[in-house]
Amino acid sequence: EESAKGEEGEEERADDWDTELRGPRMPVGTRVFVEEGTAPGVSGRRAFPYFAVVSSHFPNCRYGVKPAEGRKQQRSVPAHALSKSISWLADSAQRSRGQLTSQQKKAQVQSEHDRVALQQALARVKKENLRGEAVEGRKQQRSVPAHALRKSISWLADSAQRSRGQLTSQQKKAQVQSEHDRVALQQALARVKKENVALLKKHNLAMQDNEVLAAEREALVHAAGSKGLAKGVEHLLDRVIESVRREMASKKELNDKESERLRRHVTHREKMIVKLQEQLESTIKQVTKLCEEKDAALRQQKKTGAKNLMLRDQLDSAVKKRKVLVEVVEELRDEREQLIEESKATAGEWEKTRSSAKGRPYSDEFEAHAVRCMSTGISAMQCREQMLFSKEIMIKGGEEAQEAFEVPEIEWFQRLRERVGTESLLYAFVKIVGGKEVLQHGCDETGIRLQGTYNQWVLLMNDDGQTEIVTLEAGGILVGATAEEVAAHIELTWERGQGALETLREELGDDADELVPMVNGGVNLSKLRSLMHDTCNTANATARKLIELVEKKGVEHFGAGAWAARSKEQRCTLDFLCGNHTRNLPIAAFNRLFEEWLAATLSDATLTNSTSVELNPIQLNGIYDELWEVGVLLQSEDAFDVLDENYRPWPKVKGLDDKGWYAKRRVEALSKKRWEMLRAYDSRADADVFTPLLKKVFALVGAGIHESLERTMGDYLEATDGCHATSKLEPWMKARAVLLLSHNNHAERPFALIKLLDHVFPTMKLANVSNVAHARVNRTFALAPPKPKTAKGARNSERKTAGAATLADPRLKKAVSAVAGVRRQSLGAVTKQRREQLTADIAAAAVHRKKHRTDLLAEKTQQAAGRAQKKDTAHSIELITSVRDLRAHLLAKTGKGASMALISQQFDARVTGRATLFSYSHAAIGMEYRIMSQKAKPLKKSPSDEEDGLSYLTRLVELMITDDVKEGRYDAAHLEEAQATQVAIARELPVISEEHTSAYSKSLKEKAKEEAAALMVVEDDPVLVELVDKYVAAVKEKAKEEAAALMVVEDDPVLVELVDKYVAAVLLDEDNGETMVVRAVQYDERGSNKYYEATCVQVEQVEGGSWAVPSSSFVAGSEVLKDELLVGYHLMDLTDPDAPVLLPDVDEMISAHSVRETAVPKETGGPKKRRKT
C-alpha cells in the first residue's frame, strides 16, 4: 500500500521533477545516504550524514525520508542531499562519530583564539588595576588650564575633594570592563566544558562502532564456514572477508589513532579547564576585592558627605545663633540703659513685695523667688523666717523700707507647693513634646500612706546631642495594681500631659509653635522606643500592654497606612529588664537551694542598687552570658578553678577601669583572708570530707545561677537561645541600645525622696509631697552652679546644670506662671485641671480600695469557709489505727484512684483534722517527707522527684500510724481533745541534728525558750481590764455565744433518718435474684445529679435462717469489705436540695425480701428495673 501511494504521489508530482537534470526519481522504499547542505557538495546545518529510507515525494524537488537509526520521523530533504546506498554493510558504516567536520575544526580553532583573547584581556585588566592603584594618591604636579581653577573659601578640611576610595570615570570604565571580561571568561569556560562533553560522547560512539564492526566480521566468518554454500560463493566470501579484514584493520588503526588523539585532546582540554578555572577564581577574587574597595569608598564618601552636611548645618545654626545673640545683646544693652535711667529716676523708692494692681497681690518676681525657695523642700515656716532674716540684713533704708518689704504668712508659702509641682510638670512635658522620640521609658510602683503611687521617667536626646533623664510623674495616685490598670494609668498620665500643654499653647498664642512645638503628636505614647522595668510578672505584663498602646497611638496619630510605612526603627519598641533586679536573683536562688540541701543533709549576700553602673543593656546581657558559663564551670569537675588567684569570671568592661570603677570596689582584707582559707581546702585535716561538701556547695551556686537566669533573662541570653539575644538583634537595635540605661534607678529615687519628705513633714498632703519631690528630682528650679574654686569642684560642676525653669525663655516663664498660678482670685487653668484630676483620682482610688477590700474579704471568707469545711471533713474521717488494717483497706480497693483517695483521707485526718494531737517529730518522720522551703518544715503530701505518689504516701502514712501507736494517740481521751488547728504563739529554735549540735548550743536554746515563755506572760492593764469588763464584756459574751453556736456541727436530719431506717436492712433484688444488706447510706454526685445511695453487699442465708455476709467478701485476715463487691442503689434524689425526693426502689426490694421470708407468693408481672450505682 505504501509503495502504491508513493507511485500515485509520484505521478501527481511528475511535472515538478526535471528528469534530464536530476535523472530518474528514486522510488519510495529506496535505501539512501543523506548529507544535507545548502547546495550540492556544500555541508549544511547538520554536521553528520545518516542512512535513511525514502518514504514519500514532495514538490520542489524534495524527498521525504525516514532515518534508519534514532528517531524515525519523516524529514523533508532536497534531492541533491540524497545518494543511493549500494553498500551491503550495516548503516553504521558512515563516517565515525569522533571524526570532525571542517566546520567543527574551524570552531575549535576559533575557541582557541577566543581563549587567547580572553587571557590577553584579563592581563590588560590586571595591568590597568595596578596602574590605577599606583596612580591614586600620587601628589605630583599637574598642568591645568586657568579656567579650571577657583579660590577655595570653605573653612572645611581640604579633604572635601574626591576621597581616596572614590573612583574616577576611567577607573569605573575599567571596573565595568573587568566585569565584562569576567562574564566572558565564565561563558568561555562553560563552552569549553560543553565541547569536552561532546568529544567524550563522540569517543564513546566510535568505540561502539568498532564493536559493531567486529561483530559483523565474526558473522561473516561464521557464514563462510557453513556447509550449504557453493564453492563460488565460498570463494567470493573469502575475497570479501579478506577485503573487509583489510578495510577493518585500516579502520581499526584509524579508530585507535583517533581514540588516542581524542584522549590527548580531552586531557589537554581538562588542563585548559583547570587553568581557566584558576584564572576565573583569580579574576573573581580581584573583582571581589575591587567591589569591596568600591563599597568602602562609597561608605567613606557617604560618611564624609554626611559629616560635611552636619558641619554645614552647624555652621548655619551657629550663624543664626550669632545673629540672635547679637540682637539679644543689643536688646539687653538697651534694657540696661533703660534700667539705669529708671533707677536714677526712682532712686528714692524702696523695694516692695506687693504690686500696685487691683487687690495689691504680691509681685510676680517675688512669687517666682518664693517658688524657687519652696522647691528645695524647705518648710513654709522656715522659708518665711529665712526671708525675715534676709530682710533685716539686705534691705537698707530704715523703717519705711522694712515695711515696704512685706513677707506673707505661712499659709501663703504652703499654697506655693502646688505651683511648684505644676510648673515642674509643665517644664517636663515641654521637653517631651519637642523631641522626635523618647529613647527609653521606665516606671515603678509602691505604696505610701496606704495608697498606691507611681513613678515614670523618660530618657531624651536634647538639642546638644546629650541624653537627659526627665521624671514625668513622682508619687502619682495609682488606681489599681493589675497590668491593665497600670497601663491605663500611664496612658491617662500622658493624655493629661497633652491636655496641659495644649492649655499652655493657648496662653502662649503666636509664640506657641516656637516655644512649645508639637513634634510627632506632642506627648504621645507612639514616641516610645524602649522600655525599662523590674522582673515581676505585673511589670512584664505592663510592658506588653504598653507596646500594644504604642502601636495603637501610632495608628491613631499617623494613620494605619503611614504608620505601617514607617521603618521598624521608627515603630518598634524594645524591652529590657532592670539589671539591679536581675543580679540579685542568682543569690536568692542559691540561698534557697543551699538551705534545702543543708536541711536534707544535716536534718535541718545580697547586692544593693548601684548608682554608678555605666553599662548599656547589650553589655549587661553579655555579662549575664558570661555568668551562665560560670554556672556551667561551678557544676563541672573543674569547679575549683574559680579559686585561682588570677581568676576572673569575665574580662573587665572597657572604660570602667579608666574611671576608677574597679579601684573603688577592691576586696577588703577580711574577704581576702576568707578567700585564702577557701583556696587551702585541700590542706585541711578533714579535706576528704570537706572537699566533696565544698564541691556540692559550688554546684548549688551554679544551679542557682542557671535557674534564676533561665527564669528571668532566658529571652535575652545566647546560652538559652533567647529571642532577644544579641546575635538575633538587628543592627539598628544594637545601635539604639548603646544609648540606653540598664537599670531602673530613676524610678526608685522619687520614692526615696517622697518617703524622706513624708518622714520630715508627716502632716503634709501627699499631693504636695509629690510636687516637691518632682521639682527636686528634675532640678526644675536649680540655679546655675557658681564658678568653681577647686579642681574637684570643677568636675562636680560639669555634671550640674541650671534647671528648666531657670533656662526657659521669659515668654515661656510668664505663660507657665500664668497657667500654674495658685492665687485664689485668679487660679491658673492647668492648676484647675490638676485639682479636678486629683479629686477624681482620690475618689476613684477610694472606690477601688473599698471594692478591693470587699472582694478580698469575700475571698478570704470563702477560703476560710473552705478551710473550715475541709478541717471538719478531715476531723470526721474514721482513723485506721494499725498498719495491718491500712494494708487490708488498700487491698480492698479496686483501682489506684480509690487507693489514693483512701490514703489521702488518712493523711488529712491526722495533719488537717487533728493537728493539735497529731504532730510528728523529725526523728519519727525524716526530712525526705518535709517541705524544706518553709521554716516549719511541714509534711508534704506528694514526692519531690518522679517517685510514684501512691507508694510514697502509703509509706508516709504507715510511718505516721507507727508513731501514733508509739505515742498512744489513739486513746479515746486524746482523740476527744484533738482539734483541727494548733496556734503557735512563739517559734522555738530547732535543733536540726542532735549529733552535730553542741551541749552549749542546746543549753542556749533552752534558755531562749524560757525567756520567750516569760515574755509571753501577758500582764493586763488594770484600768483597761475595768473598762473592758464594764463596756465590752457583754458584747464579747454575746459574740462568744454566737461563735459557739456557729461552731456547733448539726447533722443533716434527713441523712440521720435514712441511716436509722435503712442501715442493716436486707433486701431482694428481683432483677438478678440476689439478696443484699445495706451497710451504709452515703452522699454522692455524678455530674449535675446529687443523691443519697444505699451501699449494699451480697449476703447468704446461714443456719438458723439468718442472713450474713460471706467470709469471701472480706479481705483475708480482716473485716474490710472488698470494694468490687459493693453495690449502690439510688435512695434519695437531691438535685433540688429544698425538695428531696425519696425513690421507691429500695423500699420495694425490702418489701420483696419480707414477702419471700413470709412465703407469700410473688405478684405476677415483670420486675421493675433498679437504678444501681
Side-chain angles (χ1 to χ4, degrees), residues 206-335:
M207 297 301 294
Q208 292 177 3
D209 291 342
N210 291 339
E211 293 176 359
V212 172
L213 292 174
E216 290 180 352
R217 178 176 175 275
E218 185 176 354
L220 289 174
V221 171
H222 179 72
S226 59
K227 295 181 178 181
L229 297 176
K231 292 183 179 180
V233 176
E234 292 179 357
H235 180 68
L236 178 61
L237 286 176
D238 291 338
R239 294 180 61 187
V240 169
I241 290 171
E242 183 178 358
S243 175
V244 169
R245 283 177 178 174
R246 287 196 300 269
E247 185 177 358
M248 292 300 295
S250 62
K251 287 185 177 181
K252 183 176 182 301
E253 183 178 359
L254 291 175
N255 287 335
D256 292 342
K257 291 181 180 180
E258 182 68 16
S259 176
E260 180 65 21
R261 187 185 66 81
L262 289 175
R263 186 186 63 78
R264 291 195 302 269
H265 188 67
V266 169
T267 304
H268 177 67
R269 285 298 179 91
E270 289 178 349
K271 292 180 180 179
M272 288 178 58
I273 290 172
V274 172
K275 187 175 181 180
L276 288 175
Q277 285 179 343
E278 294 175 353
Q279 293 177 356
L280 180 61
E281 291 176 357
S282 177
T283 304
I284 290 174
K285 290 180 180 179
Q286 293 179 0
V287 172
T288 304
K289 182 178 179 181
L290 290 175
C291 291
E292 292 176 353
E293 293 177 354
K294 174 188 174 184
D295 296 338
L298 291 176
R299 287 195 297 270
Q300 184 65 27
Q301 180 185 5
K302 291 180 180 179
K303 185 177 180 181
T304 305
K307 185 177 180 181
N308 292 340
L309 183 61
M310 181 184 68
L311 291 174
R312 291 193 189 98
D313 294 341
Q314 291 180 355
L315 175 62
D316 296 340
S317 177
V319 171
K320 292 180 182 179
K321 288 182 179 179
R322 182 179 178 279
K323 291 180 181 180
V324 173
L325 290 175
V326 170
E327 295 176 357
V328 171
V329 169
E330 292 295 333
E331 292 178 359
L332 291 176
R333 186 178 292 112
D334 296 339
E335 186 177 353

Side-chain angles (χ1 to χ4, degrees), residues 697-708:
V697 172
F698 279 12
L700 291 176
V701 176
I705 291 173
H706 285 178
E707 177 184 325
S708 60

